[in-house]
Amino acid sequence: MSERLVTTGARCELASPTAMPQASAFLWNPRLLLQVNCRGFVTAQHLQPGPAKYSHAPNLEARSFMQPEQPLYAHHPGRFVYLRDEDDGTLFSAPYEPVRRRPDAFRFSAGVADVRWDLEHAGLRLRWQVELPPDDAVELWTLVLENIATRTRRWSAFPYFTIGYMSWMNQSAAFRPDLDGIVARSVTPYQKLADYERVLALKDRTVLLSDTPPASWETVAAAFEGEGGLHDPDALREPTLGGGAAAYESPVAVLQHRVDLPPGERRRFRFLFGPARDDAEITALRRRYLARDGIEAARAGYRTFLDTGRGALRVDTPDPEFDAFVNHWLPRQVHCHGSGHRFTTDPQTRNFLQDALGMCYLRPQDCRNTLLTVLEQQEPDGALPDGIRLVPDAELQYINRVPHSDHCAWLPLTLVAYLDETDDYALLEERVDGASVLERVDRAVAFLIANLDHRDLSLIAQGDWCDPMNRVGHRGQGVSGWLSLATVHALRTWAAICAAAGRPGHAERARAAAAPITAAVQSRLWDGDRFARGITDAGRTFGVRADAEGRLFLNPQSWSILADVATPVQVRAMIEAVEAELETPWGPQMLAPAYTQLVDDIGRLTQKFPGSAENGSIYNHAAAFWAEALFRCGEADRAFSVLRRMIPGPGDDDLRRRGQLPVFIPNYYRGAVGSHPRTAGRSSQLLHTGTVSWYYRSVIESLFGLRGERAGLRIRPALPSAWREARAERRFRGATVRVAYRRDAVETPTVEVNGARLAEPLIRDVEAGRDYDAIVTLPETSAP
Ligand code: CEZ
């Protein structure tokens, strides 16, 4: 085993169950999301079509959204195998929980298509692996036991799958000989008459099937645990399990498999675990997945599913961990968000649009469909709803019942990424419910213009990008500095789209509308070295130097650059302020100092724990905007540094501090470095984040400088000065573009394509199916 705590590549491997106890990996298909913790805990959410559980906690859980920093505890849902030596009765468990006996060797290994553990303990080598099929919401588990001792060993393996507290109305479980597995049944609690039909249709069973008939089983959680608890269950002191049936008791699924293994021999077992609606479905699942080669077929299918979300970029740079992340894990997270829609049926409109933005590099058609779906739900006044209903009877829930004023701004920003990537300007003529896409986006833009107050600043309502900023403008007067800037950015972006589409009239109107907002932001919100975050209902400007807390917000600075509002002098001042007040070793904080007490006219944001989430964490979504802003003002080194620090590692100290594997970018890392240094840098472990689309775009278009436009592919990289050379392969409009970047004694960058030097760094009229080989020569830098 490697000396290092974590090794990366197409697999990311962790060599200890205790160094980063929260570390996890995830697997998903369009119906199921599994977050698999290195100690064996698993958080699963499936869609039917609403979000639901089949492996439950011991209490009823909140299902509002996947939440950050969820504590793991002994009875947290998990998938474990107890191993009992039948000769001396000793017990351990794989992967680590619940017995917590440290194995002789441990490796938690996250692959793009599976998660597994490889352990060695007491003469036994063991692999415990989970995979998903491409579509069904079921987990496919494989257990391989190999005797690496020199004498024959007799073991019992007890796979343990949490079913948990299913329902206060009705829950039970039993081993079903006819189905050859454990089936737990429940009725999802409901009260409204109107929910009766809906609940009848739910998958209210949780099933564990084994490919090998078990020697014994238990389904009553309390009977299994007895007084010993999960750590040392009473049931494992008996030769066989009790065979109990749970009758309105919390169910569990435990099986016993006996294995007598001569030296060097191995045995394999396979299991299926997941929700089901009825017996017929259970029988079908067994046939599909536990018959000969069923898992192999599912594996091939899952690979095909992953291939549909293949990234548009492969890179080879002096930073192998960065390459591993960009090549394997980043597009995968973009794909997860773009195909899973954050595992809800009513994604927030801004999230739905931004997740689609990333998909335009993977599956542009999906981005197109998202744009059309959003426009189908546009309101008569041009506004977009707070959430998008993905199935006919989906309801807008939770945060989507709170009026936010920013949704329309994301429309042109997603659209331009799609158009740059595909040049599919025909989309603008497509008709949605009686109006063209062009007309509809224009209405959305008009809504943003109508949402200005008497000062020409954007009204915030009960929040903007920042969800919990609910009291700045709840009386209808407060404005958002960020949204004013985002509105300018959206207007200018829309103007550019219209100009490129041959609609100069529309372009001019949008461009003209941006001017007064720009002037208002400059005159009312600039405070020496920063743009303020907003002005409250009562007229208080906040996010300014005079504030004791929340003195500097990152987003207005970033977006003043993205919107091309800030002057070069202002840009310099803002960069200095951000570096002085927001920067940390793990990235820039979203605001500082974090609020330590309630600010009544800002609201819920200030009630969050200092340094967590929007209250001054290193909120990666905001950091991604800042990185892109830095690219836009020519700050390649700073921009790369922000991107780089969003990925945990590579050093062990950094990994331990973040507590997370470099297989996804989390929603945030803890901030409030000054007041909470012990927890600063700690990962939220929340894999849902708008960060990844923007990150992918910045890497492709800004860092490697491979950006589409109407005429073709423009090559304008901004590599960090420490890189002397790099390579990239970019899929673009069906062509393959291979680029070798190198530094040499040139004054300005030069680009050669297929042997010919380009006067302008633009590959025109890119032809699908063709290969382009480019050499980009960049000026030497003084960096090491
Ligand atoms: O949710 C995200 C939202 O999904 O917060 C972002 C926002 O842009 C995204 O659309 C920034 O506010 O208090 C809350 O309600 C939180 O704001 C959460 O909803 C938050 C979490 O990060 C979960 O993803």
Side-chain angles (χ1 to χ4, degrees), residues 65 348 350-351 399 465-468 604 608 614 619 667:
F65 57 91
Q348 289 176 265
R350 92 175 64 74
N351 296 0
I399 194 73
W465 170 91
C466 186
D467 264 0
R604 197 159 66 83
K608 295 200 177 186
E614 290 91 338
Y619 204 86
N667 191 275

Side-chain angles (χ1 to χ4, degrees), residues 496-513:
I497 294 171
C498 293
R503 303 283 187 144
H506 285 77
E508 191 38 46
R509 273 204 302 282
R511 211 173 293 124

Side-chain angles (χ1 to χ4, degrees), residues 481-563:
W482 169 78
L483 182 56
S484 305
L485 289 159
T487 297
V488 173
H489 190 26
L491 287 168
R492 291 185 171 156
T493 302
W494 179 233
I497 294 171
C498 293
R503 303 283 187 144
H506 285 77
E508 191 38 46
R509 273 204 302 282
R511 211 173 293 124
I517 312 173
T518 306
V521 168
Q522 284 290 11
S523 66
R524 307 218 182 229
L525 298 177
W526 179 248
D527 177 38
D529 60 357
R530 68 201 60 200
F531 285 101
R533 183 58 176 84
I535 307 174
T536 65
D537 281 323
R540 185 177 78 84
T541 306
F542 67 100
V544 292
R545 286 173 300 173
D547 288 324
E549 299 189 328
R551 196 187 300 137
L552 176 58
F553 280 71
L554 189 56
N555 279 345
Q557 323 317 320
S558 314
W559 286 68
S560 72
I561 297 171
L562 298 175

Side-chain angles (χ1 to χ4, degrees), residues 158-352:
F158 301 91
Y160 171 106
F161 288 73
T162 304
I163 299 177
Y165 181 50
M166 302 175 85
S167 161
W168 48 259
M169 275 180 57
N170 189 332
Q171 58 177 358
S172 64
F175 185 82
R176 290 273 304 272
D178 54 330
L179 299 170
D180 211 4
I182 288 175
V183 179
R185 304 176 57 152
S186 69
V187 175
T188 293
Y190 76 100
Q191 284 153 334
K192 284 189 283 181
L193 179 65
D195 286 337
Y196 172 74
E197 301 284 347
R198 186 181 60 79
V199 167
L200 277 187
L202 292 178
K203 296 190 180 204
D204 264 346
R205 299 180 185 194
T206 300
V207 51
L208 173 65
L209 304 177
S210 167
D211 69 341
T212 312
S216 68
W217 59 84
E218 182 55 78
T219 72
V220 183
F224 177 72
E225 289 180 40
E227 292 306 310
L230 266 189
H231 179 72
D232 185 19
D234 283 6
L236 298 187
R237 291 171 195 217
E238 304 298 327
T240 57
L241 297 171
Y248 196 59
E249 294 160 297
S250 280
V252 71
V254 197
L255 302 174
Q256 179 181 23
H257 285 301
R258 290 215 184 87
V259 260
D260 290 357
L261 280 180
E265 298 248 318
R266 32 155 92 191
R267 275 292 297 279
R268 189 183 73 189
F269 299 92
R270 286 181 153 165
F271 307 96
L272 178 151
F273 184 62
R277 193 166 118 68
D278 51 26
D279 289 359
E281 183 175 7
I282 295 171
T283 307
L285 288 173
R286 169 181 286 284
R287 267 202 217 111
R288 195 169 315 143
Y289 297 115
L290 292 185
R292 217 180 133 76
D293 299 333
I295 290 198
E296 286 70 16
R299 186 177 298 155
Y302 192 70
R303 281 280 174 188
T304 307
F305 163 68
L306 285 186
D307 276 350
T308 64
R310 220 161 20 100
L313 184 77
R314 284 194 75 84
V315 301
D316 179 5
T317 76
D319 185 341
E321 284 85 7
F322 178 76
D323 298 351
F325 187 73
V326 167
N327 293 337
H328 304 296
W329 304 103
L330 177 60
R332 181 178 181 271
Q333 194 177 357
V334 170
H335 186 198
C336 176
H337 287 14
S339 60
H341 312 302
R342 315 226 181 170
F343 287 82
T344 85
T345 44
D346 65 324
Q348 289 176 265
T349 303
R350 92 175 64 74
N351 296 0
F352 191 51

Side-chain angles (χ1 to χ4, degrees), residues 354-374:
Q354 290 175 87
D355 292 347
L357 185 153
M359 287 305 275
C360 70
Y361 305 102
L362 274 52
R363 284 203 308 245
Q365 188 66 30
D366 285 29
C367 182
R368 190 181 210 270
N369 292 341
T370 291
L371 289 162
L372 294 173
T373 304
V374 168

Side-chain angles (χ1 to χ4, degrees), residues 20-34:
M20 300 156 67
Q22 299 278 339
S24 66
F26 72 93
L27 292 172
W28 92 102
N29 69 27
R31 282 174 221 252
L32 176 63
L33 175 67
L34 284 194

